[in-house]
C-alpha cells in the first residue's frame, strides 16, 4: 500500500508549497517498480521559521512494520535518505551518462539492519551554471530531464536553476510592450547559445534565426520540469528581467535610458555590445514586473528565487560607485515590486573573471544596493580553485553558496582536486557565518561524476569525508560489488579545471602543451598510472566477465581508454616536434622525412583507433548530440539543419568565425575522426614537407582553416535563413 501524507501548506518564508510525498513514490515506480510497495515516506511537520533560509535537513532510514521507512524534515531530506538507502543498503545508484542502475537492487529490496541517520550541514544544495543549459541540456528530451531531476533529488539538491523556455516569457512581454516579432526574434541567439544571450554577452544568431517553434516547444518543457522539481522537493530558481533588450527598443521608447554592453570575446559588434536598459529607468521596473507576473501566470507563484546577472563578462557602463549602487538598487526594487518575497540569486563569477574592474570598493558598492542582505544570494562559482568569498569579506554580509565548477565547456579529462572538495568547504563553513549552501556549477556535465557526487555528499557530513573509503564504496556500488579503483584524482594544484586533450586543439608547432589555466593541457601525473589502471580494468573484466555487461564499467573503461590515447598522443606529438625541430643535414634528410612520417602516422592512426573505441558507446559519440538537436525540429528539415549547425558550431568554431574556437571541444566518436583527424592530417603533412627554415605558420594555418570551415559548412547551408 502506498501511503501519501499531506500536511497543510505551511506559510513560512522558505518552503516550496509541495508537501505531498507522492513525487517520491513516483520516483520509485519509475526507477524500481518491483519495490514500489516496499517504501514508506514520512514527512515530519516542521515548525515554520521566520528566517529567510530553512533549517538544515535531516532524515532517518529504518525498518518499520516490514517497510523501508524513510522519515525526514523535507521532501529533499526524504529523497536524500532514499539515495542513502540505495547506496548503503541496496548498493545501487543513479548516474550521469550511464543512467539509473536502481533496477540492479536485490529483490526483494533489503531492509536496513539498523537505523541510518543523515543531517545536512547547509540548508541549500544548489545545482547548475547558467551555461549548463547550453553546454549540456539544450537538446534534451523530457526523458533526459526526468533522469536528471531524479539524480538531483536523490543527491539532495533542493535549489536548482530553471532556465528552460525563458524566451517564451520574454517574447510575450516584448509583444505586450508593442515590439513586433521581426524586432524581437532576431535578438535571440540560437538553441546552442542561449545562455550567453541571457547573460547579455551576445545577441542575435548566426546562420539562421531562432524559430518560434523552438520557443513554444521549450516553454512546454519548462512546465514539465518545474512541476517535477516541486514534486521532488526542489525550489526552482527562475529567470528575471536583466535589462538586455533588442536594439530597436529605442525606436519605440525614445526616452529609454539604454547603454551598450561591452564587446564579448571579439565577436563582431552585430552579435555583441548588447543593449542594456538601465535599472534606474522606470521602463526597467515595468518590464521586470511583467516578466515576473507572466511567470507566475504560467507556472504559479512557485518560488521567490530569481537568477539575474547583468555584468557577467560584461562590464558596467561606469565604474562610479554611485552608479554601481544605483544599478543594483534599481534592480532589487524592481524585483521586490514584482514579488515582495523575491530573492536575487547572482553568479559571483564576474568578480573573478574581471577582477581588474571589480575592485573590492566596487564590489561593496554594487552589493550594497541590495539594502536587505537576505534579499540576495551570491553563488561563489569556482570555490574549489578561485574562491572570491574571502577577498570580498563573505560578499559583505550577503548569504552565499560554496560551489564546485570543475570544468569549462564540458571538456573531457580525468581530474579532481579531492581535498579542495572536502576540506575547503568545511573550513569555509567554520569561517563564514553567511555561507548557507553548497552546490555544483559545472559548465557542462562530464565524466568525473565522482567528484560532483563527493561535494553533494559532503553537504551531509560535518567533517571532511574520508575520501579513501568514499572512493572504495562508490566504485564498489558502481561496479556492483567489484572495486577496481583507478585514481587520477589527486589533489592537483597545477591545474585548476578539467584538462583537455591537445588533439582537440588547432594543430600547431608551439603553444599546445603544458598549458595551465581553464583548459589545461599539462599532465600533472605520470601517464603510466592511467595505463596501469587500464590494465587493471581489463584484467578485472577478463576475470569477471559480467563486468562487460555492467554499463557503468563499460562507460569507465571507454573513458580510461580515451585518457590513455589522449596522453599517448601528447607524447607522440612531442616526439614528432623534436624530430622535426633539428637542423636537417642534407645527407640525413631522407631518413629524417621517414622518421617524421612514422611519427605522424602514429598520431593519425591513434586518432582513428580512438574514434573507433569512442563510437562503441552513445555517450561518447557525436551522434546523439546531433540527432537530439535535429529531432526537436519536428520533421522540418530546414529547421533541423539550423539546430544541427548550432550543435556542431558550439563544439567546434563556437561563433560565426571561430571566436572561441575549441572552447567546448569533445573527445567524441565521429568528431575525432571527421574533424580533429583531418585537421591534424593536413597540418602534419605540411610540417613534414617543410623543415623549420621553410615553415610558414600562416600557410599551415590556412590549410587547417579549410578543414575547420569545411566541417561547419559541409553539412549545413550557411546562407539559409529560418522563417
Ligand atoms: C516570527 O515573527 C513573528 C512576528 O514578526 C514573531 O512574533 C515570532 O516570534 C517570530 N518567530 C520566530 C521563530 O522567530
Ligand atoms: C506499525 O503497525 C502498528 C500496528 O499496526 C501501528 O500502530 C503503527 O502505526 C505502524 N507504524 C507505522 C509507522 O506505520
Ligand atoms: C563595444 O564594447 C567595447 C568594449 O568592450 C567598447 O569599446 C565599444 O565602444 C562598444 N561598441 C559599441 C558600439 O557599443
Ligand atoms: C544615483 O541615484 C541617485 C538617486 O536616484 C541620483 O541622485 C544620482 O544621480 C545617481 N547617481 C548616478 C551616478 O547615477
Ligand atoms: C507570491 O508569493 C509571495 C510569498 O511567497 C507573495 O508575497 C506574493 O504576493 C505572491 N505573488 C502573487 C502574485 O501572488
Ligand atoms: C586546495 O587544497 C590545497 C591542499 O589542501 C590547498 O593548499 C589549497 O589552498 C586549496 N585551494 C583552494 C582554492 O582552496
Ligand atoms: C567481483 O565481485 C564478485 C561478487 O561480489 C566476487 O565474487 C569477485 O571475486 C569479484 N571480482 C573481483 C575481480 O574483484
Ligand atoms: C626549436 O628549437 C629551437 C632551438 O632549440 C627553439 O628555440 C624553438 O623553440 C624550437 N621550436 C619548436 C617548435 O619546438
Ligand atoms: C612540459 O613540462 C614538463 C615538466 O615541466 C617538461 O618535462 C616538458 O618538457 C614540457 N614539455 C614541453 C613541450 O614544453
Ligand atoms: C518538442 O518537440 C519535439 C519534436 O517535435 C517533440 O517530440 C516534443 O514532444 C516537444 N516537446 C514539448 C515539451 O512539447
Ligand atoms: C600557432 O600559434 C601561433 C601563436 O598563437 C600563431 O601565430 C600561429 O598562426 C599558429 N600556427 C598555426 C599553424 O595555427
Ligand atoms: C543555400 O541556401 C540558399 C538560400 O536558400 C540557396 O540560394 C543556395 O543555393 C544554397 N546553397 C547550397 C550550397 O545549397
Amino acid at each position: 500500500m502506498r501511503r501519501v501524507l499531506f500536511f497543510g501548506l505551511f506559510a513560512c518564508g522558505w518552503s516550496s508549497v509541495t508537501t505531498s510525498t507522492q513525487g517520491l513514490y513516483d520516483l520509485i515506480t519509475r526507477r524500481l517498480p518491483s519495490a514500489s510497495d516496499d517504501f514508506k515516506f514520512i514527512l515530519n511537520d516542521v515548525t515554520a521559521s521566520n528566517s529567510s533560509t530553512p533549517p538544515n535537513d535531516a532524515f532517518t532510514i529504518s525498518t518499520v512494520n516490514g517497510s523501508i521507512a524513510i522519515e525526514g524534515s523535507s521532501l529533499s531530506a526524504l529523497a536524500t535518505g532514499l539515495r542513502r538507502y540505495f547506496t548503503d543498503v541496496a548498493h545501487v545508484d543513479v548516474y550521469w551518462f550511464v543512467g539509473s542502475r536502481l533496477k540492479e537492487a536485490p529483490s526483494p529490496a533489503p531492509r536496513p539492519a539498523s537505523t541510518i541517520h543523515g543531517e545536512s550541514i547547509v540548508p541549500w544544495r544548489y545545482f547548475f551554471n547558467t551555461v549548463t543549459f547550453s553546454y549540456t541540456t539544450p537538446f534534451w528530451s523530457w526523458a533526459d530531464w526526468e533522469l536528471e531531476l531524479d539524480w538531483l533529488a536523490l543527491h539532495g539538491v533542493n535549489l536548482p536553476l530553471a532556465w528552460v523556455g525563458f524566451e517564451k516569457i520574454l517574447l510575450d512581454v516584448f509583444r505586450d510592450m508593442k515590439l513586433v516579432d521581426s524586432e524581437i526574434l532576431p535578438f535571440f541567439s540560437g538553441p546552442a547559445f542561449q545562455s550567453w544571450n541571457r547573460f547579455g554577452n551576445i545577441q542575435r544568431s548566426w546562420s539562421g534565426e531562432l524559430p518560434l517553434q523552438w520557443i513554444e516547444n521549450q516553454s512546454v518543457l519548462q512546465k514539465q520540469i518545474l512541476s517535477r522539481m516541486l514534486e521532488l522537493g526542489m525550489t526552482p530558481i527562475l529567470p528575471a528581467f536583466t535589462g538586455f533588450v533588442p536594439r530597436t527598443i529605442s525606436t519605440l521608447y525614445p526616452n529609454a535610458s539604454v547603454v551598450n554592453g561591452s564587446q564579448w570575446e571579439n565577436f563582431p559588434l552585430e552579435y555583441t555590445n548588447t543593449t542594456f536598459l538601465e535599472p534606474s529607468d522606470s521602463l526597467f521596473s515595468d518590464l521586470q514586473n511583467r516578466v515576473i507576473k507572466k511567470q507566475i501566470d504560467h507556472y504559479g507563484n512557485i518560488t521567490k528565487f530569481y537568477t539575474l546577472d547583468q555584468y557577467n563578462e560584461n562590464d558596467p557602463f561606469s565604474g562610479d560607485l554611485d552608479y554601481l549602487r544605483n544599478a543594483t538598487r534599481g534592480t532589487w526594487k524592481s524585483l521586490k515590486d514584482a514579488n515582495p518575497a523575491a530573492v536575487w540569486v547572482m553568479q559571483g563569477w564576474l568578480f573573478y573573471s574581471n577582477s581588474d574592474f571589480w575592485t573590492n570598493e566596487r564590489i561593496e558598492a554594487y552589493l550594497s544596493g541590495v539594502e536587505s542582505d537576505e534579499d540576495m544570494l551570491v553563488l561563489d562559482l569556482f570555490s574549489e580553485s578561485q574562491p572570491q568569498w574571502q577577498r570580498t569579506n563573505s560578499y559583505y554580509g550577503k548569504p552565499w553558496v560554496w560551489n564546485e565548477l570543475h570544468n569549462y565547456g564540458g571538456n573531457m579529462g580525468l581530474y579532481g582536486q579531492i581535498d579542495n572538495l572536502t576540506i575547503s568547504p568545511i573550513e569555509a563553513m567554520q569561517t563564514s557565518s553567511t555561507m548557507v549552501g553548497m552546490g555544483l556549477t559545472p559548465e557542462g556535465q562530464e565524466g568525473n561524476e565522482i567528484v560532483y557526487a563527493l561535494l553533494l555528499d559532503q553537504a551531509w557530513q560535518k567533517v571532511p569525508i574520508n575520501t579513501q573509503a568514499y572512493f572504495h564504496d562508490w566504485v564498489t556500488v558502481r561496479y556492483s560489488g567489484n572495486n577496481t579503483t583507478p585514481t587520477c584524482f589527486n589533489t592537483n594544484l597545477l591545474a585548476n579545471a578539467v584538462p583537455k586533450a591537445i588533439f582537440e586543439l588547432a594543430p600547431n608547432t608551439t603553444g599546445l602543451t603544458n598549458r595551465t589555466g581553464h583548459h589545461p593541457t599539462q599532465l600533472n601525473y605520470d601517464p603510466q598510472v592511467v595505463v596501469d589502471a587500464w590494465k587493471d580494468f581489463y584484467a578485472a573484466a577478463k576475470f569477471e566477465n559480467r563486468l562487460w555487461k555492467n554499463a557503468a564499467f563499460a562507460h569507465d573503461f571507454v573513458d580510461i581508454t580515451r585518457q590513455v590515447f589522449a596522453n599517448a598522443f601528447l607524447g607522440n606529438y612531442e616526439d614528432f616536434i623534436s624530430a622535426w625541430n633539428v637542423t636537417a643535414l642534407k645527407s640525413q634528410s631522407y631518413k629524417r622525412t621517414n622518421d617524421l612520417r612514422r611519427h605522424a602516422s602514429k598520431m593519425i592512426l591513434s586518432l582513428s583507433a580512438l574514434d573507433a573505441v569512442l563510437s562503441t558507446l552513445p555517450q561518447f559519440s557525436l551522434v546523439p548530440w546531433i540527432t537530439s538537436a535535429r529531432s526537436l525540429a519536428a520533421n522540418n528539415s530546414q529547421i533541423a539543419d539550423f539546430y544541427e549547425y548550432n550543435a556542431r558550431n558550439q563544439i567546434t568554431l563556437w561563433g560565426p568565425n571561430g571566436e572561441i574556437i575549441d572552447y567546448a571541444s569533445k573527445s567524441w566518436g565521429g568528431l575525432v575522426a571527421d574533424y580533429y583527424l583531418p585537421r591534424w592530417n593536413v597540418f602534419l603533412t605540411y610540417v613534414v614537407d617543410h623543415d623549420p627554415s621553410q615553415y610558414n605558420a600562416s600557410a599551415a594555418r590556412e590549410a587547417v582553416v579549410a578543414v575547420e570551415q569545411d566541417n561547419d559548412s559541409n553539412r549545413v547551408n550557411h546562407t539559409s535563413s529560418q522563417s
Side-chain angles (χ1 to χ4, degrees):
M1 261 292 289
R2 267 198 228 164
R3 188 80 96 69
V4 187
L5 300 178
F6 286 98
F7 289 90
L9 302 188
F10 32 105
C12 45
W14 44 266
S15 173
S16 59
V17 289
T18 312
T19 52
S20 158
T21 52
Q22 185 61 42
L24 296 164
Y25 290 104
D26 291 346
L27 188 159
I28 292 171
T29 306
R30 269 195 298 284
R31 305 296 171 201
L32 185 56
S34 66
S36 58
D37 291 336
D38 294 357
F39 290 85
K40 187 174 287 176
F41 292 104
I42 303 143
L43 183 60
N44 295 328
D45 199 355
V46 184
T47 320
S49 124
N50 294 357
S51 147
S52 66
T53 44
N56 288 336
D57 280 314
F59 63 79
T60 60
I61 311 163
S62 57
T63 306
V64 177
N65 292 353
S67 291
I68 301 157
I70 303 178
E71 189 170 347
S73 57
S74 68
L75 293 180
S76 177
L78 294 177
T80 314
L82 179 59
R83 173 161 175 269
R84 183 72 72 81
Y85 163 80
F86 281 133
T87 57
D88 291 14
V89 181
H91 303 298
V92 288
D93 205 349
V94 40
Y95 302 104
W96 293 344
F97 305 109
V98 170
S100 171
R101 292 185 49 79
L102 302 184
K103 281 184 183 153
E104 308 294 318
S107 182
R111 270 45 181 173
S114 58
T115 302
I116 300 170
H117 296 276
E119 194 179 342
S120 75
I121 59 169
V122 281
W124 294 120
R125 280 85 58 190
Y126 172 84
F127 195 91
F128 284 120
N129 187 310
T130 288
V131 305
T132 325
F133 290 83
S134 292
Y135 284 133
T136 296
T137 74
F139 308 118
W140 272 10
S141 65
W142 172 233
D144 297 322
W145 272 105
E146 284 198 285
L147 184 65
E148 176 82 353
L149 296 177
D150 286 349
W151 190 101
L152 294 189
L154 290 166
H155 284 78
V157 171
N158 61 358
L159 193 63
L161 208 47
W163 266 112
V164 173
F166 183 54
E167 286 61 31
K168 170 68 176 165
I169 303 290
L170 274 187
L171 174 69
D172 286 351
V173 166
F174 287 144
R175 280 173 173 171
D176 292 349
M177 300 296 289
K178 307 287 178 248
L179 270 79
V180 293
D181 284 12
S182 62
E183 297 171 304
I184 305 166
L185 293 174
F187 168 69
F188 294 135
S189 298
F193 302 101
Q194 293 189 304
S195 303
W196 300 275
N197 184 230
R198 292 163 178 172
F199 269 146
N201 299 133
I202 58 172
Q203 58 178 343
R204 310 186 71 88
S205 166
W206 42 99
S207 292
E209 190 171 273
L210 189 69
L212 276 175
Q213 181 256 14
W214 172 273
I215 296 174
E216 298 295 339
N217 185 282
Q218 293 292 298
S219 171
V220 177
L221 184 59
Q222 171 78 334
K223 285 191 181 162
Q224 291 176 289
I225 291 169
L226 292 175
S227 56
R228 181 60 58 79
M229 284 179 173
L230 295 174
E231 280 171 30
L232 292 173
M234 294 183 254
T235 302
I237 305 177
L238 288 175
F241 177 66
T242 51
F244 298 107
V245 288
R247 286 238 199 282
T248 52
I249 194 117
S250 301
T251 319
L252 212 55
Y253 299 91
N255 297 328
S257 167
V258 295
V259 294
N260 271 344
S262 50
Q263 184 181 19
W264 189 69
E265 299 286 357
N266 288 318
F267 268 67
L269 292 188
E270 60 171 318
Y271 296 120
T272 181
N273 284 86
T274 311
T275 308
F276 180 64
L277 176 63
E278 302 247 46
S280 54
D281 195 315
S282 62
L283 189 58
F284 184 101
S285 323
D286 185 10
L287 281 158
Q288 187 69 277
N289 209 48
R290 289 167 188 268
V291 165
I292 303 284
K293 289 276 148 52
K294 193 144 311 253
Q295 291 189 112
I296 292 177
D297 289 350
H298 276 239
Y299 316 129
N301 195 4
I302 57 171
T303 187
K304 60 177 189 171
F305 290 98
Y306 296 97
T307 179
L308 204 168
D309 294 288
Q310 296 165 316
Y311 299 129
N312 183 81
E313 300 184 6
N314 192 356
D315 289 339
F317 178 70
S318 158
D320 179 87
L321 301 185
D322 269 346
Y323 177 87
L324 294 172
R325 197 177 294 112
N326 281 2
T328 342
R329 190 188 287 121
T331 305
W332 167 64
K333 284 195 163 153
S334 76
L335 278 174
K336 298 304 270 190
D337 283 351
N339 182 353
V343 174
W344 175 356
V345 181
M346 190 187 117
Q347 293 197 176
W349 175 252
L350 68 174
F351 303 137
Y352 162 62
S353 75
N354 197 353
S355 52
D356 287 348
F357 178 89
W358 288 105
T359 59
N360 278 33
E361 200 182 27
R362 282 178 176 158
I363 296 174
E364 185 167 17
Y366 185 68
L367 295 177
S368 72
V370 176
E371 289 167 8
S372 159
D373 285 342
E374 305 205 325
D375 288 344
M376 191 171 229
L377 184 61
V378 181
L379 304 173
D380 192 81
L381 218 68
F382 192 17
S383 311
E384 81 278 24
S385 285
Q386 301 290 345
Q388 300 298 299
W389 61 271
Q390 290 109 325
R391 79 131 165 149
T392 58
N393 196 7
S394 290
Y395 296 101
Y396 301 102
K398 300 287 184 279
W400 65 279
V401 179
W402 195 105
N403 288 293
E404 169 188 358
L405 186 143
H406 199 71
N407 83 85
Y408 291 94
N411 285 171
M412 295 158 79
L414 294 179
Y415 166 73
Q417 289 164 275
I418 300 306
D419 290 348
N420 297 95
L421 302 175
T422 51
I423 298 167
S424 306
I426 297 300
E427 282 175 355
M429 287 266 319
Q430 289 158 355
T431 314
S432 174
S433 62
T434 51
M435 176 180 150
V436 297
M438 287 164 64
L440 303 179
T441 50
E443 284 206 344
Q445 283 179 201
E446 46 82 27
N448 298 294
E449 183 170 341
I450 192 167
V451 298
Y452 298 101
L454 177 63
L455 194 269
L456 290 177
D457 284 335
Q458 185 63 68
W460 297 74
Q461 299 287 330
K462 288 193 176 69
V463 294
I465 286 176
N466 171 341
T467 46
Q468 200 99 34
Y470 185 89
F471 272 59
H472 174 274
D473 293 350
W474 201 84
V475 170
T476 305
V477 169
R478 191 165 166 90
Y479 304 148
S480 313
N482 292 79
N483 69 79
T484 304
T485 318
T487 37
C488 295
F489 297 105
N490 295 313
T491 296
N492 190 340
L493 300 171
L494 296 171
N496 73 14
V498 165
K500 211 184 191 57
I502 65 156
F503 64 72
E504 294 174 7
L505 294 168
N508 207 317
T509 54
T510 58
L512 303 188
T513 61
N514 281 351
R515 285 193 189 179
T516 55
H518 290 181
H519 304 269
T521 58
Q522 189 167 50
L523 264 196
N524 296 311
Y525 55 84
D526 178 357
Q528 188 59 35
V529 171
V530 191
V531 174
D532 291 344
W534 188 94
K535 288 180 179 161
D536 287 349
F537 261 68
Y538 186 65
K542 263 182 101 168
F543 179 75
E544 196 64 50
N545 270 303
R546 67 175 176 84
L547 281 172
W548 292 119
K549 296 207 179 73
N550 177 322
F553 180 88
H555 175 94
D556 294 346
F557 197 29
V558 169
D559 201 31
I560 288 188
T561 310
R562 178 198 55 68
Q563 195 64 55
V564 168
F565 272 98
N567 296 350
F569 188 92
L570 188 57
N572 290 337
Y573 168 82
E574 283 178 347
D575 291 346
F576 174 84
I577 293 295
S578 47
W580 174 71
N581 195 24
V582 291
T583 315
L585 294 172
K586 259 201 181 122
S587 60
Q588 291 180 341
S589 79
Y590 176 75
K591 179 184 179 311
R592 182 176 174 278
T593 305
N594 260 1
D595 279 353
L596 286 177
R597 290 223 169 100
R598 190 168 45 79
H599 286 305
S601 81
K602 221 169 160 182
M603 291 161 79
I604 295 301
L605 280 175
S606 77
L607 292 182
S608 169
L610 172 59
D611 193 85
V613 175
L614 295 169
S615 300
T616 59
L617 290 179
Q619 65 266 38
F620 288 98
S621 160
L622 173 66
V623 173
W625 178 246
I626 303 295
T627 53
S628 62
R630 294 194 70 89
S631 73
L632 286 172
N635 297 326
N636 178 324
S637 66
Q638 203 184 16
I639 292 182
D641 286 350
F642 173 63
Y643 292 173
E644 175 172 352
Y645 170 79
N646 263 259
R648 286 184 186 277
N649 182 266
Q650 185 203 80
I651 58 176
T652 56
L653 295 182
W654 209 136
N657 310 301
E659 279 73 7
I660 50 172
I661 189 166
D662 300 319
Y663 182 100
S665 64
K666 302 284 178 310
S667 292
W668 279 346
L671 196 61
V672 172
D674 295 345
Y675 185 65
Y676 303 129
L677 188 153
R679 212 156 70 152
W680 278 94
N681 202 27
V682 295
F683 175 77
L684 293 172
T685 303
Y686 180 90
V687 177
V688 169
D689 291 346
H690 298 81
D691 73 31
S693 67
Q694 304 164 314
Y695 177 77
N696 176 336
S698 320
R701 177 72 198 137
E702 252 171 55
V704 171
V705 166
V707 176
E708 290 164 354
Q709 298 290 350
D710 183 47
N711 172 273
D712 246 22
S713 57
N714 224 356
R715 293 159 176 92
V716 178
N717 186 340
H718 259 287
T719 58
S720 67
S721 67
Q722 309 299 318
S723 49

